[in-house]
Amino acid sequence: MKRLKFRVWNKVSKKMHNPQAISFDIQNCNPFAVSIPAKSWDPAEKYELLQWTGLRDEGGTDVYEGDLVLIDYEIYKVHWHESEAAFKLISLKGSLEKETGLLPTGKIIGNTYETENL
């Protein structure tokens, strides 16, 4: 079975969390509520769910969607490409896309939520 991992960005407090649990509506598979450490359940709309790509960077750090990765002196954002049902890398310099197979050769330098200066 494929291992699913998420982290969540709290849109209100502007903080990243590792959730304790995520509840999904079984009718439409949409997230319903999120529980983070030391907090009760909150509506899922309060959070941005960021899924693990299943890959790690060159330092062994898990890579999630929204992460910014430095590969060969260029910065890429990890995003979910809906029509291809795959994670992709988009260059911050333009619309150039690359496959996530390059992630193990790159280094995470931040994410689009907490790294405002990139």
Side-chain angles (χ1 to χ4, degrees), residues 11-27:
K11 297 174 188 177
V12 177
S13 70
K14 307 289 187 205
K15 292 185 180 180
M16 194 70 72
H17 300 280
N18 291 316
Q20 288 181 310
I22 301 172
S23 177
F24 288 86
D25 180 332
I26 61 170
Q27 295 292 328

Side-chain angles (χ1 to χ4, degrees), residues 60-71:
T61 303
D62 288 345
V63 179
Y64 289 83
E65 60 184 313
D67 279 346
L68 301 173
V69 183
L70 180 64
I71 301 171

Side-chain angles (χ1 to χ4, degrees), residues 8-13 17 19 21-25 30-36 39-49:
V8 294
W9 173 251
N10 186 315
K11 297 174 188 177
V12 177
S13 70
H17 300 280
I22 301 172
S23 177
F24 288 86
D25 180 332
N30 287 331
F32 177 73
V34 175
S35 175
I36 60 172
K39 188 124 168 100
S40 183
W41 290 94
D42 281 325
E45 295 83 31
K46 185 177 174 181
Y47 298 93
E48 185 77 31
L49 272 64

Side-chain angles (χ1 to χ4, degrees), residues 16-118:
M16 194 70 72
H17 300 280
N18 291 316
Q20 288 181 310
I22 301 172
S23 177
F24 288 86
D25 180 332
I26 61 170
Q27 295 292 328
N28 59 21
C29 296
N30 287 331
F32 177 73
V34 175
S35 175
I36 60 172
K39 188 124 168 100
S40 183
W41 290 94
D42 281 325
E45 295 83 31
K46 185 177 174 181
Y47 298 93
E48 185 77 31
L49 272 64
L50 306 167
Q51 187 174 353
W52 178 46
T53 62
L55 300 169
R56 292 183 172 84
D57 73 355
E58 67 183 16
T61 303
D62 288 345
V63 179
Y64 289 83
E65 60 184 313
D67 279 346
L68 301 173
V69 183
L70 180 64
I71 301 171
D72 294 330
Y73 306 105
E74 191 163 348
I75 300 172
Y76 295 89
K77 175 185 172 186
V78 179
H79 83 105
W80 177 252
H81 195 283
E82 193 72 35
S83 64
E84 293 186 29
F87 290 102
K88 298 281 187 168
L89 301 171
I90 296 182
S91 171
L92 292 189
K93 291 181 180 176
S95 61
L96 178 66
E97 275 192 352
K98 291 193 179 223
E99 300 297 321
T100 55
L102 293 173
L103 285 172
T105 65
K107 178 177 173 58
I108 295 174
I109 58 170
N111 63 64
T112 56
Y113 301 93
E114 298 173 304
T115 313
E116 297 176 14
N117 59 344
L118 293 178

